Amino acid sequence: MAPAVDIDIDPDSSTAPFDQLRLQIIEQVRSGQLIAGTKIPTVRALAVEVGLAPNTVAKAYRELGEQGVIETRGKQGTFIASGGDPIRARAEKAATGYVQELRKLGVSDEEILGFVQSALRGAE
């Protein structure tokens, strides 16, 4: 049986339950609580454990799979993916692509930094 994933869903949160689940699994991977190769519960088992609909857990698992956080190995089950922090790797790739695209447009590094700082202020 897969080890329990420590998830606490807050029904009063403004964050959707599937996002709460997804973000908590990501945090447990980053903190080392869930390490590469760890088998995690099936969709149905986790749904029962945390009190969510199976479709909600399936949606979170799909997104985690797309982000490279988990991988499904057919009938063997679902596991924490190997290879460092996939979220950081994806973020670094996105940042690199952003800078390359703006440089192609002739935007200076100082202007690029200004755009990022403005975007960060606007996201607060």
Side-chain angles (χ1 to χ4, degrees):
M1 182 173 195
V5 177
D6 186 22
I7 302 294
D8 182 29
I9 302 298
D10 179 1
D12 298 323
S13 174
S14 62
T15 303
F18 90 93
D19 265 336
Q20 291 182 54
L21 173 60
R22 186 180 61 79
L23 293 170
Q24 287 180 50
I25 289 175
I26 289 169
E27 180 53 37
Q28 289 177 35
V29 169
R30 283 185 173 158
S31 73
Q33 185 177 344
L34 290 173
I35 60 170
T38 301
K39 186 173 183 178
I40 61 174
T42 65
V43 166
R44 290 183 192 263
L46 188 57
V48 169
E49 185 178 326
V50 299
L52 293 174
N55 286 344
T56 302
V57 176
K59 182 178 180 181
Y61 273 24
R62 263 192 312 277
E63 288 198 14
L64 288 166
E66 290 169 3
Q67 294 172 326
V69 177
I70 64 173
E71 59 190 8
T72 302
R73 300 179 190 164
K75 293 185 179 190
Q76 291 180 329
T78 303
F79 298 81
I80 301 300
S82 57
D85 184 345
I87 302 301
R88 183 176 183 88
R90 188 171 173 191
E92 289 172 351
K93 184 177 178 181
T96 300
Y98 175 71
V99 169
Q100 288 173 341
E101 184 64 28
L102 290 178
R103 283 182 175 163
K104 285 180 192 175
L105 296 173
V107 178
S108 72
D109 287 355
E110 292 77 25
E111 289 174 303
I112 294 170
L113 286 172
F115 292 153
V116 170
Q117 290 169 339
S118 293
L120 288 170
R121 282 191 299 272
E124 292 176 347

